[in-house]
Amino acid sequence: MPRLLASALSLRRDPRLLKLPPYLSLLCIVVGVVWLFLLPLDDYSRRTYISENALLPGQVHTYFGGSDQNVFRAYKHETDELAGKGNIEVNDKLESIAKGLGLKVGRQNFTYSSAGNTHSGQNIYAILQAPRGDATEAIVLVAAWKNVKGELNRSGVPLVLTLARYFKRWSLWSKDIIFLFTPDSIAGPQAWVDAYHDAHDSSRVASLPLKSGALQGAIALDYTRETRFQSVHIVYDGVNGQLPNLDLINSVNHVAGGQMGMGVAIQEMWKHSNSYHDRLQTMLRGMLKQGLGLAGGPHSSFIPYHVDAVTLQPFGDGWQDEMAIGRVIEGTFRSLNNLLEHLHQSFFFYLLMQKERFVSIGTYLPSAMLVAANFTIMAIALWVKSGQPEVQEVITEKTKTAEEAEKIALPNPHVAVERDLFLPLVLVAVCQFAGVVPLYLFNHLPESALIPAFVLFSLLSAILPFLLSNLLHTSTTSTTTQQYHLIRSFSLLLLGMFLSSLATLNFSLAFLVGVFSAPLTFVRPCPNSPILKWLSIVVLYVLSPTTVVFVASVLPGLDEKVGYGLGEVLRQAAFAWDVTGTYTPVVVWCVWWPAWIVGVVSVLGRPGGGDKVKEA
């Protein structure tokens, strides 16, 4: 036993162990990426299923149709006349219709300011009190006047009015039903949900005059087309990558695909062959949207309040009409009406790769954790290495001959180096707090100044590492190799800690930032190798946050022929920050950008001087 302990102790002090961390970090990155690409296979994913037995989707006969088609046409004729008119005039008409149905009606004003623009409007909603309930629970049916693309919801609004008239005739409801009409698909629903839960800013958002019980679920209808459709698209992405309970998506899929016989699509995959390629593309599309953290529709505002919600979008040319999508909503509402408690048995963290195929958090989380772990491994290795002297520093007056110097070609485990922590801590802390500057600027400047500010910041960001490097080199006490080790160690430790914590909240964002930041693990000062030095700098600048943001803004979207443009991307980011509370800018400017600055400074480093050596 003592011999075994002595062997373990000698192995711990073996300096050759410090050569392993870079390879371990590389292995973590490779395994993490490969792990992600294995998920679409049948062996790693599984079929969806209903966990909440009380839902019973598709088990009831839906009656919406027949004479309701004439009612829909009448409402559509009235709403078509409102096209191009103001928000107040539209709400006056909707209020008269809702009151004519015997519903209680309330209005709410809101005003948001973002990027120098004012987003104001008025929401209107009507409450159908449950004949068999006590107003302790409610379900919401949302129809925005305009969808996220700014298109008029020409068939969605009259269809919701028709469903309100239809639901009023039934006495089976045990939960109140709230019919919500908003002027847009982002600001209006956000203002209403915030006020419903008393979490609103009273200076910008008015309180609600009427309320019901706890919200159990919400369905939003985005129906802009006026012709028959073939399938229904389920939009489920929430703010900051949050997702609704998987049972809600499965219920809508079961009612629409199983009971109604219509096609169902997700992530804008209009044609899905269930092949590996289509599964992978669907999963990556979902990860990209979750990573951006933007609201995908009116439903997104409900999810942060643990209200499961989705948006339904009819698409394609087929034989399904308005009554078909109405029956889908009726069947889904009948299922939600059966709930005795909040949806909780199924998954809240998942990746869908087909309408009936998913992977849960326990299967996909290791890929992001492995990518994040590589930074922590290298940080620990650099910390240990900073406590060991370099070869040239161990040669003292006692070891003057070449023969004696060769004996200590490897660092002496019995010689410890006192770590100089002040400069590394100050540099890393300054870089971290400097991230507040772009975070503030891009969320408070007017829209006209966003592009010039981004160009100016990109130039300053490119120059800043060179300035910091020259400052470190021309300082009174030259920066040592040990201090560069500590600078990288502290920066990578923070990056690994942030990403591993973020992976449990927004897996997609943590994975994407981790992959783009992977080169930071391997960069180091290269004063004696100009080629390696400038190659490292080129790689880091190509993968810098500013470069990635710019390239992402000019690349075509998922179903777009041209990119959104840098100005539009910055405007949407500011709007998401001010209205929906998206924290993606915090991760980009306060986590990723500081680590990138420290990485470039390390590459440009010119270590000099010596460390303080003391006998262990």
Side-chain angles (χ1 to χ4, degrees):
M1 187 67 179
R3 183 177 298 178
L4 181 61
L5 291 176
S7 300
L9 186 60
S10 62
L11 180 62
R12 179 179 66 85
R13 292 178 174 179
D14 191 341
R16 289 174 294 184
L17 285 177
L18 292 179
K19 296 181 180 180
L20 293 179
Y23 300 100
L24 290 177
S25 295
L26 180 60
L27 181 63
C28 287
I29 296 172
V30 172
V31 173
V33 174
V34 171
W35 190 303
L36 184 73
F37 282 85
L38 290 177
L39 295 179
L41 298 176
D42 288 338
D43 294 335
Y44 298 93
S45 60
R46 46 180 168 165
R47 291 182 61 86
T48 58
Y49 56 92
I50 301 293
S51 299
E52 180 58 71
N53 295 325
L55 284 171
L56 298 174
Q59 299 300 310
V60 297
H61 183 74
T62 53
Y63 298 93
F64 185 70
S67 60
D68 296 305
Q69 178 77 56
N70 298 325
V71 177
F72 167 79
R73 291 172 180 169
Y75 283 144
K76 189 175 187 310
H77 178 73
E78 293 189 50
T79 55
D80 285 344
E81 295 179 350
L82 299 175
K85 296 187 178 181
N87 184 204
I88 302 299
E89 191 172 354
V90 171
N91 287 348
D92 290 341
K93 183 62 177 180
L94 296 178
E95 181 177 7
S96 64
I97 295 176
K99 286 185 174 180
L101 298 176
L103 305 178
K104 294 183 177 180
V105 180
R107 295 195 186 193
Q108 177 206 26
N109 296 314
F110 63 89
T111 301
Y112 290 106
S113 296
S114 176
N117 300 322
T118 300
H119 306 269
S120 60
Q122 185 184 74
N123 297 322
I124 183 171
Y125 62 102
I127 300 178
L128 170 61
Q129 294 182 327
R132 304 174 63 180
D134 53 359
T136 58
E137 296 177 333
I139 314 172
V140 185
L141 181 57
V142 187
W145 187 251
K146 292 183 179 180
N147 64 5
V148 291
K149 296 182 180 179
E151 302 170 340
L152 287 178
N153 197 1
R154 294 187 177 275
S155 298
V157 173
L159 182 57
V160 170
L161 292 173
T162 308
L163 286 169
R165 182 179 182 274
Y166 172 76
F167 288 163
K168 177 70 175 178
R169 305 202 309 260
W170 288 88
S171 61
L172 52 84
W173 304 111
S174 60
K175 296 176 175 58
D176 291 354
I177 300 179
I178 302 175
F179 304 95
L180 174 61
F181 303 93
T182 61
D184 67 334
S185 293
I186 305 297
Q190 187 67 49
W192 189 87
V193 177
D194 288 343
Y196 195 91
H197 294 89
D198 294 324
H200 62 291
D201 182 358
S202 57
S203 63
R204 301 188 301 175
V205 178
S207 300
L208 298 181
L210 297 173
K211 287 187 180 180
S212 181
L215 303 182
Q216 299 297 303
I219 301 293
L221 183 59
D222 180 5
Y223 194 179
T224 59
R225 59 188 299 131
E226 299 182 272
T227 58
R228 292 176 179 265
F229 65 95
Q230 181 182 17
S231 306
V232 61
H233 180 228
I234 303 177
V235 185
Y236 57 89
D237 306 288
V239 178
N240 293 322
Q242 297 181 0
L243 302 173
N245 190 276
L246 188 56
D247 268 346
L248 178 61
I249 300 176
N250 294 338
S251 298
V252 175
N253 180 37
H254 196 87
V255 173
Q259 186 178 15
M260 298 297 136
M262 64 178 65
V264 176
I266 58 174
Q267 297 301 340
E268 301 179 12
M269 290 291 291
W270 313 122
K271 295 181 180 180
H272 201 297
S273 62
N274 201 25
S275 62
Y276 172 83
H277 178 269
D278 285 351
R279 288 184 181 183
L280 178 63
Q281 187 176 358
T282 304
M283 183 184 70
L284 294 179
R285 285 181 175 222
M287 289 181 58
L288 180 60
K289 290 183 178 180
Q290 291 177 31
L292 293 176
L294 302 178
H299 70 283
S300 300
S301 302
F302 290 84
I303 299 178
Y305 290 96
H306 304 289
V307 180
D308 304 301
V310 295
T311 294
L312 304 183
Q313 297 174 331
F315 72 94
D317 296 323
W319 57 274
Q320 305 283 0
D321 61 357
E322 302 84 2
M323 299 298 102
I325 192 66
R327 286 191 291 272
V328 171
I329 296 175
E330 178 190 1
T332 305
F333 268 50
R334 292 284 296 274
S335 294
L336 294 174
N337 189 60
N338 294 334
L339 287 177
L340 300 177
E341 53 186 338
H342 228 72
L343 287 173
H344 66 280
Q345 293 194 22
S346 192
F347 298 93
F348 288 95
F349 300 93
Y350 51 86
L351 292 177
L352 279 172
M353 50 198 62
Q354 197 252 352
K355 63 179 182 180
E356 296 178 345
R357 204 90 194 169
F358 80 105
V359 288
S360 63
I361 185 173
T363 305
Y364 67 73
L365 186 61
S367 61
M369 286 299 187
L370 285 170
V371 174
N374 97 87
F375 302 111
T376 306
I377 292 173
M378 185 56 69
I380 296 174
L382 290 169
W383 172 262
V384 175
K385 194 173 182 179
S386 67
Q388 296 183 354
E390 298 295 324
V391 174
Q392 64 272 19
E393 296 164 2
V394 181
I395 301 177
T396 63
E397 295 180 357
K398 299 179 181 179
T399 58
K400 295 180 179 179
T401 65
E403 292 78 5
E404 292 176 332
E406 290 177 359
K407 294 179 181 179
I408 55 170
L410 295 175
N412 189 347
H414 299 286
V415 176
V417 176
E418 183 178 351
R419 293 182 176 92
D420 188 0
L421 303 178
F422 180 74
L423 179 61
L425 285 175
V426 169
L427 178 62
V428 173
V430 168
C431 291
Q432 288 294 145
F433 285 105
V436 177
V437 175
L439 179 66
Y440 179 86
L441 288 178
F442 296 135
N443 291 319
H444 291 83
L445 288 176
E447 183 177 358
S448 59
L450 286 176
I451 294 181
F454 184 85
V455 173
L456 179 60
F457 174 77
S458 299
L459 294 175
L460 294 177
S461 179
I463 298 173
L464 182 60
F466 290 89
L467 297 178
L468 291 177
S469 179
N470 288 331
L471 181 63
L472 294 177
H473 183 66
T474 58
S475 59
T476 305
T477 303
S478 182
T479 308
T480 63
T481 301
Q482 181 207 68
Q483 289 175 322
Y484 278 107
H485 288 334
L486 291 173
I487 290 171
R488 293 176 57 205
S489 176
F490 294 151
S491 178
L492 292 177
L493 186 64
L494 288 174
L495 183 60
M497 178 182 66
F498 287 140
L499 293 184
S500 58
S501 302
L502 179 63
T504 60
L505 301 175
N506 192 334
F507 161 83
S508 303
L509 181 58
F511 184 86
L512 293 174
V513 173
V515 171
F516 282 121
S517 303
L520 299 176
T521 302
F522 308 102
V523 296
R524 57 185 176 83
C526 305
N528 300 323
S529 179
I531 297 178
L532 180 59
K533 171 183 175 180
W534 289 106
L535 180 61
S536 301
I537 291 175
V538 169
V539 172
L540 289 180
Y541 273 84
V542 168
L543 297 178
S544 68
T546 52
T547 304
V548 172
V549 171
F550 174 75
V551 173
S553 66
V554 298
L555 287 179
L558 296 179
D559 287 316
E560 305 289 340
K561 296 182 179 180
V562 296
Y564 291 103
L566 180 60
E568 180 64 16
V569 169
L570 295 175
R571 188 197 65 80
Q572 288 188 12
F575 180 80
W577 170 269
D578 293 321
V579 178
T580 61
T582 300
Y583 57 63
T584 303
V586 177
V587 178
V588 173
W589 303 120
C590 296
V591 176
W592 181 11
W593 183 74
W596 177 82
I597 290 290
V598 173
V600 180
V601 171
S602 299
V603 175
L604 296 172
R606 288 167 284 178
D611 301 325
K612 299 178 182 179
V613 181
K614 62 181 180 180
E615 294 294 332

